[in-house]
């Protein structure tokens, strides 16, 4: 009986060891759901294969339901690496105290949002007064927070200025709403707008950009603060090594709408935190 119990205990220990080892050998990656889930997976697939090769470990994409889920998953160590917007990074950093932004795309140093409308009479935000307007997700930096911040600096309080304010949940959904006439105007990030235009997924004879925000820092790839520093550095170097002169690398960069990746740091997002506090989104 004693020998049998020892054997059983040893078997359980070995099984647990295998599970822990397997978990440690898998990099769990996710992204804020600012586009359709199928698009996020399509964009990540070649990047995931590249990271597997560079890191020598399995890389798994973990879809999440909403922006808050990414923050919670990084804070509870259920995710190792995530593509975050500037505001989502600020939320994660404040919640964890140690989340580390590794890299951002070159254009994320000077990111913008685009205001759009399908009404030919709309030339500025003043022409949308008393009409309907759509933001993306409430937690979106480029689809909600920063456009709202810049509007408020101009004396526009959206809930008082527009007849109705709605949240589409994602940048591509905002374009679809404007194009279908569900709302009179909307705002989304410049990168997704350009991608949709290039792919012919928006009728530019109907939907047009009528204004662009000032620049701000936005997206980055962030790791949880408890991740092995040596692994975090390997991940950072893998992103920095992506070379647009290499056809395989260029295909990955194109899917990420990136010319290249550059290092970033928490201080870059202090302006986002200030904007969030000004908008009453952080206490």
């Amino acid at each position: 009986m004693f020998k049998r119990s020892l054997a059983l205990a040893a078997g359980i220990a070995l099984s647990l060891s295998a599970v822990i080892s397997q978990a440690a050998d898998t990099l769990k990656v996710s992204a804020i759901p600012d586009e359709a889930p199928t698009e996020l997976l399509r964009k990540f697939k070649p990047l995931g294969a590249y990271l597997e090769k560079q890191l020598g470990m399995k890389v798994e994409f973990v879809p999440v339901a909403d922006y808050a889920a990414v923050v919670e998953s990084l804070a509870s160590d259920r995710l190792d690496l995530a593509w975050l917007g500037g505001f989502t990074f600020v939320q994660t950093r404040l919640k964890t105290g140690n989340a580390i932004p590794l890299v951002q795309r070159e254009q994320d140093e000077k990111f913008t949002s685009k205001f759009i409308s399908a009404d030919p009479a709309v030339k500025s935000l003043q022409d949308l007064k008393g009409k309907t307007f759509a933001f993306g997700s409430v937690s979106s930096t480029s689809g909600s927070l920063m456009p709202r911040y810049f509007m408020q600096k101009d004396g526009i309080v959206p809930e008082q200025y527009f007849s109705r304010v709605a949240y589409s949940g994602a940048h591509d959904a905002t374009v679809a709403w404007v194009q279908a006439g569900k709302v009179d105007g909307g705002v989304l990030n410049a990168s997704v707008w350009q991608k949709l235009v290039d792919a012919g997924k928006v009728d530019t004879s109907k939907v047009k950009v009528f204004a662009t925000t000032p620049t701000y820092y936005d997206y980055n790839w962030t790791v949880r603060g408890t991740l092995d520093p040596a692994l975090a550095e390997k991940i950072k170097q893998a992103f920095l090594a992506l070379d647009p002169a290499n056809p395989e690398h260029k295909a990955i960069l194109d899917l990420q709408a990136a010319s290249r990746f550059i290092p970033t740091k928490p201080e870059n997002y202090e302006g986002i935190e200030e904007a969030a506090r000004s908008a009453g989104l952080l206490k």
Side-chain angles (χ1 to χ4, degrees), residues 9 19 31 64 84 86 131 139 170 176 241 250 272 277-278:
V19 169
V64 292
L84 303 179
K131 298 189 177 183
S139 295
K250 189 175 187 309
I272 299 284
R277 293 192 187 282
S278 174

Side-chain angles (χ1 to χ4, degrees), residues 65-84:
D66 53 33
Y67 283 53
V70 179
V71 177
E72 291 298 329
S73 296
L74 278 170
S76 59
D77 291 357
R78 295 196 301 273
L79 285 175
D80 303 308
L81 171 70
W83 176 244
L84 303 179

Side-chain angles (χ1 to χ4, degrees), residues 111-113 150 212-216:
F111 209 76
T112 60
S113 299
F150 291 125
T212 301
T213 66
T215 61
Y216 53 89

Side-chain angles (χ1 to χ4, degrees), residues 115-150:
F115 289 93
I116 61 171
S117 178
D119 183 347
V122 173
K123 309 292 184 187
S124 68
L125 279 170
Q126 282 66 41
D127 297 324
L128 280 174
K129 187 173 183 178
K131 298 189 177 183
T132 56
F133 189 85
F135 290 105
S137 165
V138 175
S139 295
S140 172
T141 308
S142 51
S144 178
L145 172 62
M146 295 312 290
R148 176 181 287 272
Y149 174 69
F150 291 125

Side-chain angles (χ1 to χ4, degrees), residues 119-266:
D119 183 347
V122 173
K123 309 292 184 187
S124 68
L125 279 170
Q126 282 66 41
D127 297 324
L128 280 174
K129 187 173 183 178
K131 298 189 177 183
T132 56
F133 189 85
F135 290 105
S137 165
V138 175
S139 295
S140 172
T141 308
S142 51
S144 178
L145 172 62
M146 295 312 290
R148 176 181 287 272
Y149 174 69
F150 291 125
M151 280 192 277
Q152 288 177 336
K153 286 186 77 172
D154 287 338
I156 295 173
V157 178
E159 284 71 21
Q160 298 170 13
Y161 193 79
F162 303 112
S163 62
R164 179 171 62 89
V165 171
Y167 290 89
S168 71
H171 300 296
D172 47 3
T174 298
V175 174
W177 281 17
V178 171
Q179 187 161 287
K182 189 172 180 179
V183 288
D184 298 306
V187 67
L188 74 154
N189 90 43
S191 180
V192 173
W193 167 258
Q194 193 57 52
K195 185 175 77 170
L196 293 172
V197 169
D198 292 344
K201 292 184 178 179
V202 53
D203 185 349
T204 51
S205 69
K206 292 181 181 177
V207 184
K208 66 180 185 302
V209 172
F210 65 84
T212 301
T213 66
T215 61
Y216 53 89
Y217 279 95
D218 202 353
Y219 295 88
N220 68 56
W221 281 102
T222 288
V223 291
R224 57 181 171 86
T226 52
L227 191 69
D228 175 12
L231 177 55
E233 183 60 25
K234 283 181 74 174
I235 295 168
K236 180 177 181 178
Q237 293 306 319
F239 276 103
L240 296 179
L242 286 166
D243 181 1
N246 178 322
E248 183 185 339
H249 289 188
K250 189 175 187 309
I252 294 169
L253 289 167
D254 286 350
L255 279 173
Q256 301 299 310
S259 54
R260 65 187 179 108
F261 283 96
I262 59 175
T264 192
K265 56 188 177 182

Side-chain angles (χ1 to χ4, degrees), residues 6 22-23 35-36 47 55 58-59 61 70 86 88 93 101 106 112 117 124 130 197 215 219 239 256 258 280:
L6 278 177
Q22 184 179 6
E35 294 184 82
L47 175 60
L55 304 176
K58 184 180 177 185
V59 175
F61 187 80
V70 179
T88 325
R93 181 82 175 180
E106 199 167 26
T112 60
S117 178
S124 68
V197 169
T215 61
Y219 295 88
F239 276 103
Q256 301 299 310

